[in-house]
């Protein structure tokens, strides 16, 4: 007798095959960082320092690295396939072709590159030919700074949505006199209407309890990815996030294994040297960034480090100590943390590609550092096996 196979079995097999195929294409959500030993080197001219004032990677058929040179008020473009500079755009500070002092850049595409200064509410829009396409003047909210876009310090890239640009800002005033109650009411970002120049707060404010235990620097880094804004602060183990509707911040635990529960407070009656020592060498958190290739967040953690009194004040930040990099999945669950020893890497110069993270090896005390090149080691994202 011939037995017919029930159609429900065929349907079950079909579903299993779909799941198996989709599983093969699924991006892992858990990674650990690993040094590869693979180095890329980009030659420099004599007017360019081997520690960048800001980097941005732009993918494409010809992947490009944009390097900002403050001293020259210029932007250099490097072809990462040929490993050489292909163009340099130099700008006047003032006049019809002036762009003010370039503090940060945002490469939206090769025809829309946004230039930001740190003094007035003006954004200059250029292309890769260096053509000034427009100068956008906007209203800076009272008691807040112009857009604070810096490509190497607590990175917080602007977020473009149609004709609206969301940017990080700073609070004006004596920061050490700010109380917890005052900070609660301060905004982290505002939105610029690129057509009218009007600005609007979205209601994304500092956490309610950040300064309850005493004063700490409250510098934020802000990233957007996986459908949410994510905020990391200098002196807080936690991460904070909200959705694009800018609902109140939600906290999630994110403590580094290398920082004790109690983060040091700002020293009382600190002078300039004490301020820098605290800012650079006390244990703290800095940039958080979304990796669009692996759909994870990374955060830089700086460990306690003793200041060498022989290092000039202006060089202290570049002489950074040991640090680690945390990886969070797209739900902000901490999945790994990688330790990096002192004097080997310069952690403020890096860029992320589909291959991994290229981390600068140009620490001033690394004996392999050369004055005439930018050098980066590929740090790979190795998938972690599911437990």
């Amino acid at each position: 007798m011939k037995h017919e196979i029930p159609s429900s079995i065929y349907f079950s097999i079909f579903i299993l095959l779909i799941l198996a195929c989709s599983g093969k294409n699924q991006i892992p959500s858990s990674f650990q960082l690993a040094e590869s030993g693979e180095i890329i080197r980009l030659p420099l001219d004599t007017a360019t320092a081997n520690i960048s004032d800001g980097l941005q990677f732009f993918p494409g058929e010809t992947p490009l690295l944009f390097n900002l040179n403050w001293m020259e008020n210029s932007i250099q473009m490097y072809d990462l396939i040929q490993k050489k500079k292909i163009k340099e755009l130099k700008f006047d500070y003032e006049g019809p072709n002036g762009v003010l002092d370039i503090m940060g850049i945002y490469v939206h595409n090769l025809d829309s590159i946004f230039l930001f200064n740190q003094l007035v509410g003006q954004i200059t829009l250029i292309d890769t030919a260096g053509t000034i396409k427009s100068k956008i003047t906007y209203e800076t909210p009272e008691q807040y700074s112009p857009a604070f876009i810096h490509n190497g310090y607590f990175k917080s890239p602007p977020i473009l949505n149609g004709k609206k640009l969301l940017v990080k800002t700073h609070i004006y005033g004596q920061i050490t006199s700010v109380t917890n109650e005052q900070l609660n009411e301060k905004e982290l970002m505002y939105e610029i209407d690129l057509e009218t120049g009007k600005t609007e707060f979205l209601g994304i404010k500092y956490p309610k309890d950040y300064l309850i235990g005493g004063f700490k620097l409250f510098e934020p880094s802000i990233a957007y990815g996986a459908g949410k804004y994510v905020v990391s602060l200098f002196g807080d183990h936690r991460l904070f996030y909200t959705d694009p509707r800018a609902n109140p911040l939600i906290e999630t635990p994110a403590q580094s294994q290398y920082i004790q529960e109690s983060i040091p407070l700002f020293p009382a009656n600190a002078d300039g040297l004490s301020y820098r020592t605290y800012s650079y060498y006390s244990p703290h958190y800095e940039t958080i960034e979304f990796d669009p290739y692996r759909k994870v967040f990374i955060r830089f953690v700086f460990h306690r480090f003793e200041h060498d009194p022989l290092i000039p004040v202006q060089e202290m930040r570049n002489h950074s100590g040991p640090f680690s990099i945390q990886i969070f999945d797209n739900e902000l669950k901490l999945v790994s943390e990688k330790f990096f020893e002192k004097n080997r890497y310069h952690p403020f110069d890096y860029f992320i590609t589909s291959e991994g993270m290229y981390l600068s090896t140009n620490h001033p005390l690394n004996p392999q550092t050369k004055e005439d090149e930018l050098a980066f080691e590929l740090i790979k994202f190795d998938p972690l096996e599911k437990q």
Side-chain angles (χ1 to χ4, degrees), residues 286-304:
E286 286 211 14
T287 292
I288 186 163
E289 184 162 344
F290 182 67
D291 173 358
Y293 303 99
R294 286 151 288 267
K295 311 299 182 186
V296 297
F297 292 88
I298 66 166
R299 180 168 67 163
F300 284 78
V301 184
F302 290 85
H303 308 167
R304 184 182 298 279

Side-chain angles (χ1 to χ4, degrees), residues 127-144:
D127 59 20
T128 51
T131 303
I132 296 177
K133 303 177 72 174
S134 65
K135 295 182 181 180
I136 303 163
T137 301
Y138 62 93
E139 300 173 355
T140 302
E142 187 176 356
Q143 298 302 312
Y144 288 88

